[in-house]
Amino acid sequence: MLFLKKEDIEKCFDMRAAMDASLEALKIYSEGRATIPLRTNIPVPKAEGQSLYMPGYVECDSGKDALGVKIVSVYPKNIEKNIPSVPATMVVLDAETGIVNAMLDGTYLTQLRTGAVQGAATELLARKDATIGALIGTGGQAESQLWAMLTARDLTEVRIFDIDFDRASAFAKEMAEKFKVTMIPTQTAQECVEGADIITSVTTSKRPTFSSEWVKKGAHINGVGAYTHDMCEIPREIIKESDLVIFDTMDGVLQEAGDFMQPLEDGYLSEDKYAGELGELGLGKLQGREHDEDITIFKTVGSAVLDVYVAQKMVEQAKENNIGLTV
């Protein structure tokens, strides 16, 4: 069995590889060649925790088929013990034999593939001449979201906003040193969003994190953070005004993302406003951006198809480069 820590994955799998793998996974999903059951959630009342299991099987055109399960725990009290409150482990199986052949750092896998799917969408939908980015939220997902934006487009400036300005400033300073790109912490979301070519919101906010009036013509917007019915990052007005709305998976977003479910439920929007899936766009079944002035939106809530397929590619790369611990 192969064990891959975060440091092992970093040696053999970068954002570019993760973006390519994520798009391929969603293309396979949109073609109906992946089996992704609903995740199983087991409450653990004594520890006030939850144990979640996200399994999947993906048919692959090249290389081996992908089979696996991501195990995610949600244990808020872990913070008191100074250990992660949402630890995750990815278990990879050999699809030909059903034997477990690898285990990966599921926390880093989740961060990387969530950034990567946004990057893949940004690459397909944002204007080619985009130079200014806006990032709202500086939590655990922020760095990979920023990395993906910078991989998708040659940005010269990224504005950073967080409800805690000191946190935004510290994050901006750290990221400027890491990526060698101008990072500007902003006092308000308006300063962050106005004039930006690419806007990425990654928060758990229950109300929109910016106003539709601040969005320039031609902007591309990514909604990454909201994943429950009561969370709502993207303002409904910009969804209505936009020229194209694409999801990672239609069933996932319409079951989990409040900012896109609520406008349907109260009749503000009809479902035909939502064009389809990123995989369909990658397959050429949907038309992407048609004009420079178009406003495009991508929403992701994540799917086990991303975990299973990306993990399989990570394992293949690690074996090819003799990276990781084999037991």
Side-chain angles (χ1 to χ4, degrees):
M1 186 188 294
L2 180 68
F3 286 84
L4 296 177
K5 299 182 296 183
K6 175 183 176 180
E7 294 77 14
D8 298 322
I9 297 169
E10 288 175 323
K11 290 175 186 174
C12 64
F13 212 81
D14 63 6
M15 182 57 74
R16 176 73 266 164
M19 284 165 55
D20 293 342
S22 295
L23 181 59
E24 191 61 31
L26 290 182
K27 285 161 66 174
I28 294 169
Y29 179 89
S30 291
E31 288 180 317
R33 296 192 293 123
T35 302
I36 308 296
L38 290 174
R39 65 185 176 194
T40 299
N41 186 348
I42 301 174
V44 187
K46 285 186 179 179
E48 295 181 28
Q50 293 173 302
S51 187
L52 295 90
Y53 300 82
M54 299 169 63
Y57 166 67
V58 185
E59 294 179 22
C60 304
D61 292 324
S62 58
K64 290 187 172 184
D65 288 354
L67 178 66
V69 56
K70 188 169 76 171
I71 302 169
V72 184
S73 298
V74 182
Y75 277 61
K77 283 193 166 183
N78 280 2
I79 293 172
E80 300 167 12
K81 302 173 184 177
N82 202 31
I83 55 178
S85 58
V86 190
T89 300
M90 184 71 204
V91 179
V92 176
L93 295 85
D94 185 319
E96 292 180 15
T97 65
I99 295 172
V100 173
N101 63 3
M103 292 182 72
L104 292 74
D105 181 329
T107 305
Y108 183 62
L109 167 66
T110 303
Q111 290 173 341
L112 190 62
R113 66 83 159 151
T114 307
V117 74
Q118 174 263 105
T122 298
E123 193 161 58
L124 290 177
L125 292 170
R127 285 177 56 141
K128 302 295 183 189
D129 60 355
T131 58
I132 299 175
L135 179 65
I136 300 174
T138 61
Q141 263 293 330
E143 183 174 336
S144 69
Q145 294 298 322
L146 179 59
W147 187 11
M149 292 165 69
L150 294 171
T151 304
R153 288 291 182 270
D154 187 17
L155 302 181
T156 58
E157 172 189 312
V158 181
R159 292 88 166 268
I160 312 288
F161 175 73
D162 191 277
I163 52 173
D164 183 331
F165 181 69
D166 289 340
R167 190 164 60 191
S169 298
F171 180 82
K173 183 180 179 182
E174 183 184 350
M175 293 302 104
E177 292 172 1
K178 180 166 186 174
F179 293 110
K180 310 303 179 190
V181 172
T182 301
M183 303 283 168
I184 303 172
T186 64
Q187 293 277 4
T188 66
Q190 185 170 355
E191 288 177 71
C192 183
V193 167
E194 279 188 339
D197 301 303
I198 300 168
I199 302 160
T200 299
S201 183
V202 55
T203 76
T204 54
S205 177
K206 293 184 178 179
R207 61 178 186 270
T209 55
F210 59 94
S211 168
S212 62
E213 298 164 4
W214 307 337
V215 179
K216 68 180 265 188
K217 287 289 185 182
H220 170 65
I221 301 166
N222 296 302
V224 181
Y227 57 88
T228 66
H229 183 270
D230 61 343
M231 291 182 188
C232 184
E233 291 187 294
I234 309 301
R236 58 173 54 196
E237 295 82 7
I238 201 64
I239 299 174
K240 190 169 194 175
E241 185 185 333
S242 68
D243 299 279
L244 183 68
V245 181
I246 297 283
F247 299 154
D248 57 355
T249 64
M250 287 290 286
D251 55 350
V253 172
L254 294 182
Q255 288 177 35
E256 295 183 10
D259 34 14
F260 291 84
M261 295 165 66
Q262 293 169 21
L264 295 182
E265 292 166 357
D266 60 23
Y268 183 77
L269 293 174
S270 60
E271 199 168 317
D272 59 10
K273 179 65 186 180
Y274 305 148
E277 298 178 333
L278 184 63
E280 295 175 291
L281 183 63
L283 290 165
K285 294 181 178 179
L286 289 178
Q287 176 69 47
R289 172 179 294 274
E290 295 188 57
H291 308 101
D292 283 348
E293 297 298 295
D294 287 354
I295 293 174
T296 57
I297 298 176
F298 171 67
K299 173 61 189 173
T300 175
V301 292
S303 167
V305 72
L306 295 165
D307 297 303
V308 172
Y309 188 84
V310 175
Q312 175 66 29
K313 294 302 173 186
M314 286 175 172
V315 170
E316 290 173 5
Q317 281 297 310
K319 287 182 175 179
E320 194 175 304
N321 292 279
N322 198 28
I323 290 171
L325 175 65
T326 301
V327 177

